[in-house]
Amino acid sequence: MNNESIDGYRLAPITTSRAAEIANHLENPETWRPNNWFGFEHHTAPTGNQSTFSFGEGGALAVLDTKNTIVGQVQWIPGFWYGGANRHRAWNIGMIIFQTHRRSRATSAAIELLTNYLFTHTNINRLEATMPAESQKYEKSIRRLGFSVEGVLREAQWREGSWRDAVIIS
């Protein structure tokens, strides 16, 4: 793994000790709110050494600041298969930045770092993600990073007592 840093943030493997720290954050519903809380049964914490997954299965990395404090995690899983061969598959990416580090550059730095990492170290030509339609405030930063909004998935997520639209970006 390279030591690339953007705006004081970098990615690092999720070791057993880092996994325990991340798990403590992920048990708190407020870590996931306002847009990603689906109930306790829908969130699992990393178990350690997740960065050692084969790229065919996906993986996860910790997001660290300049003090080596964990500020969140990024992850990727095989996305939609567009036919023919596995090379026509996309990575579906996601992340969670802990509350105390939101409203900083951590979110955009994490997306940019993960994007660079996956395009450098895997044989995938497409990254995609879904985000709640209410998160449109992030659209400007997403576009700055080279992503574009591809469409709206109507009532795709049941969250906090109602069906919500999601936006697919790539």
Side-chain angles (χ1 to χ4, degrees):
M1 174 147 209
N2 64 19
N3 287 327
E4 181 181 10
S5 174
I6 296 176
D7 292 330
Y9 298 96
R10 67 183 179 86
L11 301 179
I14 297 178
T15 60
T16 302
S17 63
R18 287 181 181 147
E21 186 177 338
I22 291 170
N24 284 337
H25 282 279
L26 299 184
E27 289 174 2
N28 180 357
E30 294 309 313
T31 298
W32 298 95
R33 285 190 172 107
N35 296 315
N36 290 310
W37 178 244
F38 302 103
F40 284 110
E41 70 277 7
H42 298 288
H43 295 289
T44 58
T47 57
N49 297 322
Q50 289 204 357
S51 64
T52 62
F53 285 159
S54 72
F55 285 124
E57 297 173 9
L61 295 165
V63 181
L64 306 178
D65 67 9
T66 56
K67 298 175 185 172
N68 286 327
T69 302
I70 299 172
V71 302
Q73 78 169 24
V74 293
Q75 62 191 35
W76 64 98
I77 59 171
F80 190 80
W81 181 61
Y82 293 97
N86 277 339
R87 70 177 171 265
H88 301 143
R89 189 163 225 148
W91 285 126
N92 187 290
I93 62 172
M95 76 168 159
I96 187 78
I97 299 297
F98 304 144
Q99 293 168 290
T100 54
H101 298 278
R102 294 179 191 160
R103 305 212 190 298
S104 68
R105 292 270 306 135
T107 300
S108 11
I111 294 170
E112 188 171 354
L113 287 163
L114 181 60
T115 299
N116 294 347
Y117 181 80
L118 292 175
F119 281 139
T120 300
H121 298 290
T122 71
N123 187 19
I124 293 290
N125 191 45
R126 177 182 168 84
L127 300 178
E128 57 193 21
T130 56
M131 58 189 244
E134 315 75 289
S135 294
Q136 291 294 324
K137 65 183 179 182
Y138 298 116
E139 187 172 338
K140 184 178 179 181
S141 61
I142 289 166
R143 288 187 188 281
R144 182 183 69 76
L145 295 171
F147 285 80
S148 57
V149 174
E150 293 188 335
V152 176
L153 304 167
R154 299 286 177 214
E155 298 184 348
Q157 296 178 335
W158 177 262
R159 183 169 28 85
E160 305 280 355
S162 64
W163 287 103
R164 312 286 179 106
D165 293 349
V167 175
I168 188 162
I169 61 170
S170 69

